Amino acid sequence: MTPHSLRARPVAATATALLLAGATAAHAVLGDEEPRTAVRGAAYVETRLLFGTARPDGGSAVTDRQFMDFVDHEVTPQFPGGLTVREGRGRWRDAHGVIERERSYELGLLYPVARAAASDRRIEEIRSAYERAFAQESVGRVDDHEQVDF
């Protein structure tokens, strides 16, 4: 080996170490998981249900009173610990490809991860009950894992 190649080894090793360290740091910053700092609370599931009010058969839309009666009789007994209802304006592509514009509701539920299986069954019953009661094609569902503290 020449003296020049012997001097190049430490330089190459240092450069490689710096590149690997940079890649690790970049992965930590740009990776799939966001780093979490100290989190307060317990593991919960948040389920949001998306209810439309327009009827596919052209009948009259679900009224505020009808929807709140549904919440009082079908949802609250299943989730007496609490829920949130938000009003909105939705867009929906129906089974015929038509984009419907309708008044809508988002219903938020929080429940401990330990009760997820039992809650899932009740949520699916609520979705089916609304679809039957108001001739809906579907009720949207979004589930997220959260840390919750009350």
Side-chain angles (χ1 to χ4, degrees):
M1 287 196 171
T2 66
H4 177 58
S5 65
L6 289 175
R7 277 183 278 170
R9 279 188 180 176
V11 171
T14 302
T16 301
L18 289 172
L19 285 172
L20 290 174
T24 302
H27 178 70
V29 172
L30 301 174
D32 295 335
E33 295 292 321
E34 289 185 29
R36 291 187 175 223
T37 57
V39 178
R40 184 178 307 258
Y44 271 67
V45 176
E46 176 187 23
T47 295
R48 294 184 323 250
L49 297 178
L50 309 170
F51 297 90
T53 58
R55 296 183 195 241
D57 63 5
S60 61
V62 178
T63 65
D64 288 335
R65 180 164 183 105
Q66 288 173 316
F67 183 77
M68 292 313 295
D69 284 346
F70 179 83
V71 170
D72 290 343
H73 295 100
E74 298 289 336
V75 183
T76 303
Q78 299 294 331
F79 293 90
L83 54 93
T84 301
V85 175
R86 294 178 193 92
E87 293 183 40
R89 294 277 178 204
R91 301 292 186 269
W92 165 260
R93 184 185 313 266
D94 69 15
H96 305 289
V98 176
I99 296 177
E100 302 287 342
R101 291 170 174 79
E102 61 186 326
R103 194 177 77 262
S104 59
Y105 297 94
E106 180 180 322
L107 186 132
L109 303 166
L110 288 169
Y111 46 92
V113 168
R115 291 195 223 145
S119 296
D120 178 69
R121 179 186 49 77
R122 292 182 291 171
I123 290 165
E124 289 306 303
E125 289 171 1
I126 290 165
R127 292 175 74 196
S128 294
Y130 189 82
E131 291 167 7
R132 281 190 312 274
F134 300 108
Q136 297 293 296
E137 290 179 8
S138 89
V139 171
R141 178 176 178 170
V142 179
D143 293 307
D144 289 313
H145 291 273
E146 304 292 344
Q147 290 297 120
V148 178
D149 185 36
F150 292 103

